[in-house]
Amino acid sequence: MKYRILLLVLFFFVTFPAHSDNIDSLKNLLKTPVSDVNRASVLNQLAEASYYNNAAAARDYAQEALGLANKINDNNGQLESHFQLATAYYFLSLYKNAIQTAQHCLALCAHLGNTKREADVYYVKGRAHFAIGEIKEAEACYEICKNISEKAHYREGIGKAAKGIGDIFDTKGDFTKALENYDLHLKISLEDNYKIGQMVSYNDHGRICEYTGKTDEGLKNYLQSLKIAEEIGNFYGVGAASNNISILYSVQKDYKKALEYTFKSLENNQKINNLKGMAYNYHDIAHVMKNNNSLDTALIYYQKALDIRTTLGDKRGLSFTYFGMGDLYKKKKDWLKARQYHEKSLAIREGLGYKMGISASCTALGTLLMESGDYPTALLYLKKALQIAQEVKGTEELYLTYKSLALCHEKMGDFRNAFSFQTLALSYQDSLFNTDHNKQFAQMQTQYETEKKEKQILKQDNDILALEQSKSRMTSQRNFVLGGLLASGILGFFGFQFYKMKKDRNDKMAFAEALIYAQEEERKRIARDLHDGVGQSLLLIRKQMETTHETTLDNQRMITETLEEVRSISRDLHPFQLEKLGLTAAINEVIHKIEHSTELFITKEMDNIDGMLSDKAQIHVFRTIQEALNNVMKHSEATAAKVSIKSLPNEIIITVQDNGKGFDLEWAVVKSKSLGLRTMNERIASLGGKLKITPNQPKGTIIELNIPKKT
């Protein structure tokens, strides 16, 4: 697939059930006097329960448990602690550490004869090898895991091995065997009612359906995975399934829906600091930006993905990012850079034996070489791409390769072959871009959302039924009590409503009073500026002219300064740049003015947003940014700030961040007499947008505005 990012490594957790609901009780156990053996056991359980939401804490628990086990020379405790530590390292993307720790663990397994845990360790080791592109080593680990588990009749180990081996066949492009292993994994997960295993397996099935052109079936599986992930509160699962769904929508060119799911995935990955998942998200945002010709913005997000993947040593991910950047530079018509990045991508994919990726890279290089007129070399790449695409039966790869071969033969004057390949391309185009897909996607999306609502309604109905059954068993005395309680509840409800109405009215009154106060303060400021500045200057000019009866150089200078002061007051009242130069230039002018009048260092990354908002919206956005920068300048004690404006397909995202002292948002809203924060919020809310204020890291504040574009 052209830019497909496979979320294989995200799902290491298929084999490790979460026990997050037990975390508090386990922590309470640590507060009671227990032996070192028992304390180490509790710490290891805490590590296992913390993988998904706090991998760093899982590592710390496992390390403390290992220290206790070493202290009392407890071999079994050392084995379990090493296993939990290796797993935590995997979740932290410290793959070399995971492999090394797993090796220690295997030595203990052999010494103690613990075959089930030995199978688990080989799976962990295999996942770590797979993550850094060591496919042969990963395959060997999965096969050992399978053999040990089958001999020991260890169902969980058999399911783990099937998942891992399925990923290997997926990489090799043998989707039939991949699906056989994924089917076995799903069968075991369903029989054991193992929700995490089901969640992961549906994602794997969706991916294979997508590769083989069964796009609707792919979405159905992804939505099933997402539903399970949401039910069990698994952030990893929600992030991975959402990302896969976003890619499907992107293939159908529904970029609005694609971004919606990508940002949902990003939100979940950020909750657990899942760097690998975040890299997938940045890559997908870049892909959408590239397809919308926002090439500079796309490059920023590709670089974010590239930085993470380079740090993690994620070879597979790097191959996708290099591929995307090659396509981006092709759009920029920078043929040299485009070829360099595609060649980097191809080299990595050949090293991994990733067949679908090799096919896609060869097609991309063949297309690039056509642009420079090197048709014979282009044809060699395209023939190699076709051979692999036919071998793996990848629907999108076949379509793109046939399409490129048709174009290449046409440019070479071989119209017979050109027509033949074009016919083949069209036969695959229908399966990829059939308009019925959009209807079926919409139906499945509606079904998914309806099922969520139905579950909520069912829960409410069950609650009501339980209350009715309880009521039927009550005695007349209890009915009397309930009646009293009901009456109290009704009175309480109306009391609450009255309180709420009164509070809303008081809030509105307070806001109106504050608004009047702010207006009066603004009038005072303007009057003071006119009296003290313009008025005094004009009075002095008049006195001098009465004395000298002529215009002197001093008079001229003072007149110039007075005019400039009038212009400055006028600009503060209404930014003339909005009408004359546009919103982008007006924002730039505010930044320029602050930089030259203060020691604040401001950087900016701004897309041109002229013409994207109504006149009313432009005023509100300008004033909000102006207020945000004034707050940075006056109150934050910051030395640096950054203004970022990004134009997305349906909205504009603006961020103003600083490195100042930060503030307590709730207290600031209550105490602010200048109405700054409240007015900012009112302005953006009136446009149907959102204003979000969060702490910056390591210090400071981030103000984010999401403003819908005019339709």
Side-chain angles (χ1 to χ4, degrees):
M1 185 155 289
K2 188 175 182 182
Y3 76 103
R4 185 73 168 89
I5 301 175
L6 309 181
L7 302 185
L8 302 178
V9 291
L10 280 182
F11 283 130
F12 162 81
F13 55 82
V14 307
T15 58
F16 298 102
H19 305 289
S20 56
D21 54 330
N22 293 330
I23 288 179
D24 288 340
S25 59
L26 289 169
K27 285 182 177 178
N28 288 333
L29 279 176
L30 291 179
K31 296 175 183 177
T32 62
V34 292
S35 67
D36 286 343
V37 172
N38 289 334
R39 183 176 179 83
S41 175
V42 172
L43 286 166
N44 281 321
Q45 291 178 63
L46 271 170
E48 187 175 2
S50 303
Y51 295 144
Y52 317 116
N53 298 330
N54 194 339
R59 176 199 57 201
D60 294 343
Y61 290 133
Q63 285 178 335
E64 186 179 348
L66 181 59
L68 288 172
N70 289 335
K71 174 184 171 184
I72 59 178
N73 198 27
D74 176 10
N75 287 335
N76 286 308
Q78 290 170 352
L79 167 58
E80 189 62 21
S81 300
H82 272 109
F83 173 68
Q84 300 299 342
L85 187 57
T87 308
Y89 281 140
Y90 178 89
F91 274 90
L92 288 166
S93 302
L94 299 171
Y95 304 120
K96 294 291 186 183
N97 293 40
I99 292 168
Q100 187 178 19
T101 307
Q103 201 60 44
H104 287 303
C105 199
L106 287 173
L108 286 166
C109 287
H111 176 66
L112 297 171
N114 190 334
T115 54
K116 289 185 178 181
R117 190 52 97 193
E118 184 180 11
D120 294 336
V121 176
Y122 272 113
Y123 182 76
V124 175
K125 193 165 179 278
R127 297 311 297 160
H129 281 300
F130 188 89
I132 56 178
E134 295 174 354
I135 306 301
K136 290 181 181 178
E137 291 84 349
E139 185 174 9
C141 288
Y142 296 148
E143 288 293 342
I144 296 172
C145 175
K146 176 184 176 183
N147 293 334
I148 294 173
S149 299
E150 286 177 345
K151 287 178 183 177
H153 303 288
Y154 177 36
R155 285 173 57 82
E156 186 178 334
I158 294 170
K160 295 176 183 181
K163 157 65 181 168
I165 293 169
D167 291 347
I168 297 295
F169 281 120
D170 187 337
T171 300
K172 292 179 177 180
D174 191 339
F175 301 137
T176 302
K177 288 186 178 178
L179 199 56
E180 287 175 5
N181 281 277
Y182 291 150
D183 283 341
L184 175 58
H185 176 227
L186 179 59
K187 179 176 180 292
I188 292 173
S189 298
L190 288 170
E191 288 174 354
D192 294 350
N193 194 29
Y194 181 31
K195 291 294 185 181
I196 292 180
Q198 294 170 28
M199 173 187 73
V200 175
S201 193
Y202 282 122
N203 240 324
D204 291 334
H205 280 75
R207 193 174 58 252
I208 300 301
C209 290
E210 184 183 345
Y211 288 163
T212 53
K214 301 173 184 175
T215 319
D216 303 329
E217 193 66 24
L219 179 62
K220 182 179 178 181
N221 278 280
Y222 290 150
L223 286 171
Q224 181 67 14
S225 177
L226 177 60
K227 183 172 72 171
I228 295 171
E230 289 177 332
E231 284 175 359
I232 62 178
N234 191 303
F235 295 144
Y236 267 91
V238 174
S242 298
N243 198 73
N244 282 332
I245 293 169
S246 79
I247 293 168
L248 271 187
Y249 275 110
S250 190
V251 171
Q252 297 302 316
K253 296 181 171 52
D254 187 346
Y255 297 123
K256 178 181 178 182
K257 204 71 179 173
L259 280 179
E260 177 186 325
Y261 274 103
T262 298
F263 283 116
K264 180 176 183 176
S265 176
L266 180 60
E267 179 185 356
N268 280 272
N269 286 325
Q270 287 175 332
K271 284 178 183 177
I272 54 178
N273 196 32
N274 179 12
L275 294 177
K276 185 180 283 290
M278 289 159 63
Y280 293 144
N281 302 141
Y282 292 143
H283 179 104
D284 288 347
I285 294 170
H287 180 79
V288 172
M289 295 297 103
K290 179 181 66 184
N291 285 332
N292 281 285
N293 292 315
S294 300
L295 302 185
D296 291 337
T297 304
L299 192 57
I300 291 169
Y301 280 101
Y302 275 135
Q303 191 60 52
K304 284 175 178 281
L306 190 65
D307 291 344
I308 293 174
R309 286 168 168 168
T310 301
T311 301
L312 298 181
D314 180 6
K315 293 180 183 178
R316 189 188 188 97
L318 282 169
S319 81
F320 282 104
T321 303
Y322 286 142
F323 188 100
M325 294 175 78
D327 267 0
L328 184 146
Y329 281 110
K330 181 185 173 185
K331 279 203 164 194
K332 284 176 171 278
K333 301 192 184 303
D334 188 337
W335 311 118
L336 179 61
K337 279 190 177 180
R339 183 169 181 177
Q340 287 172 344
Y341 278 112
H342 277 303
E343 285 175 344
K344 282 184 177 183
S345 176
L346 177 59
I348 293 174
R349 289 171 171 184
E350 286 178 334
L352 295 173
Y354 173 40
K355 289 191 174 181
M356 284 187 67
I358 295 169
S359 176
S361 291
C362 286
T363 300
L365 282 164
T367 307
L368 266 177
L369 287 163
M370 276 193 281
E371 298 286 349
S372 60
D374 188 354
Y375 304 122
T377 311
L379 202 57
L380 289 175
Y381 274 112
L382 293 174
K383 285 180 177 178
K384 182 178 179 180
L386 179 60
Q387 179 185 351
I388 298 172
Q390 288 173 332
E391 183 183 333
V392 302
K393 299 181 178 64
T395 305
E396 187 175 352
E397 279 61 45
L398 284 167
Y399 164 70
L400 292 171
T401 308
Y402 283 136
K403 186 178 176 183
S404 298
L405 279 165
L407 180 61
C408 189
H409 281 289
E410 180 186 338
K411 288 181 177 292
M412 294 171 69
D414 184 355
F415 298 107
R416 181 178 178 181
N417 274 319
F419 177 75
S420 176
F421 283 120
Q422 184 63 27
T423 303
L424 288 167
L426 290 172
S427 68
Y428 282 92
Q429 179 178 324
D430 291 340
S431 64
L432 276 173
F433 305 111
N434 192 327
T435 53
D436 288 340
H437 283 323
N438 293 331
K439 295 178 183 177
Q440 290 163 355
F441 274 32
Q443 288 171 358
M444 282 186 277
Q445 179 70 28
T446 302
Q447 183 180 355
Y448 158 71
E449 291 171 355
T450 302
E451 284 181 3
K452 284 180 68 175
K453 291 178 182 176
E454 285 176 348
K455 285 189 176 181
Q456 293 173 352
I457 294 170
L458 181 61
K459 184 178 182 302
Q460 292 172 353
D461 288 344
N462 288 336
D463 290 343
I464 293 169
L465 181 61
L467 286 172
E468 288 177 348
Q469 290 172 343
S470 175
K471 181 180 177 182
S472 67
R473 294 192 299 266
M474 290 181 179
T475 61
S476 58
Q477 182 181 1
R478 288 188 178 182
N479 284 335
F480 177 77
V481 172
L482 277 178
L485 290 173
L486 180 63
S488 299
I490 293 171
L491 288 172
F493 172 77
F494 283 111
F496 173 75
Q497 291 297 320
F498 176 75
Y499 166 78
K500 187 172 181 295
M501 290 171 61
K502 185 177 179 182
K503 183 177 183 300
D504 289 344
R505 185 182 64 190
N506 290 339
D507 285 347
K508 289 176 181 177
M509 288 176 62
F511 184 79
E513 289 174 3
L515 185 61
I516 293 169
Y517 174 84
Q519 289 173 340
E520 289 301 322
E521 288 297 307
E522 186 66 10
R523 289 191 181 103
K524 287 179 185 177
R525 184 189 66 78
I526 295 168
R528 187 168 56 249
D529 287 346
L530 289 172
H531 179 270
D532 296 343
V534 177
Q536 294 297 327
S537 296
L538 290 174
L539 180 63
L540 188 57
I541 293 168
R542 190 187 73 180
K543 290 286 185 183
Q544 287 184 353
M545 292 183 69
E546 285 176 353
T547 303
T548 60
H549 301 288
E550 61 182 13
T551 303
T552 65
L553 289 175
D554 282 345
N555 294 152
Q556 293 174 7
R557 177 182 57 78
M558 292 178 68
I559 291 169
T560 302
E561 290 174 354
T562 303
L563 285 171
E564 183 55 39
E565 193 161 359
V566 170
R567 291 192 185 101
S568 178
I569 295 170
S570 174
R571 281 195 296 268
D572 287 342
L573 290 173
H574 183 75
F576 73 92
Q577 295 97 331
L578 282 178
E579 283 79 11
K580 292 188 176 181
L581 303 176
L583 177 58
T584 308
I587 295 169
N588 269 309
E589 178 63 24
V590 170
I591 295 170
H592 177 78
K593 184 177 178 182
I594 292 174
E595 277 193 303
H596 283 75
S597 59
T598 69
E599 293 183 356
L600 187 66
F601 177 72
I602 305 178
T603 57
K604 55 189 178 182
E605 292 179 3
M606 295 170 48
D607 291 345
N608 190 317
I609 55 172
D610 292 346
M612 298 181 185
L613 300 169
S614 65
D615 291 344
K616 171 190 169 185
Q618 288 189 64
I619 289 289
H620 286 322
V621 169
F622 175 82
R623 289 300 189 198
T624 302
I625 294 173
Q626 189 180 45
E627 178 67 24
L629 288 171
N630 282 337
N631 286 340
V632 173
M633 182 175 59
K634 294 177 181 177
H635 308 300
S636 73
E637 298 178 10
T639 58
K642 180 179 179 180
V643 178
S644 171
I645 301 178
K646 290 182 172 54
S647 172
L648 300 182
N650 297 295
E651 66 174 350
I652 296 168
I653 298 178
I654 300 171
T655 56
V656 179
Q657 53 186 306
D658 64 73
N659 65 348
K661 62 184 180 181
F663 65 97
D664 185 327
L665 175 60
E666 293 183 2
W667 182 249
V669 169
V670 171
K671 297 297 289 182
S672 176
K673 289 186 177 180
S674 67
L675 269 191
L677 295 173
R678 293 184 66 180
T679 304
M680 287 164 65
N681 192 58
E682 291 290 331
R683 286 185 185 276
I684 300 306
S686 72
L687 306 178
K690 294 180 181 178
L691 182 146
K692 182 180 177 184
I693 302 177
T694 56
N696 197 6
Q697 295 299 331
K699 63 176 183 175
T701 304
I702 299 176
I703 297 176
E704 181 178 311
L705 316 177
N706 296 70
I707 302 118
K709 292 183 178 179
K710 69 179 180 181
T711 54

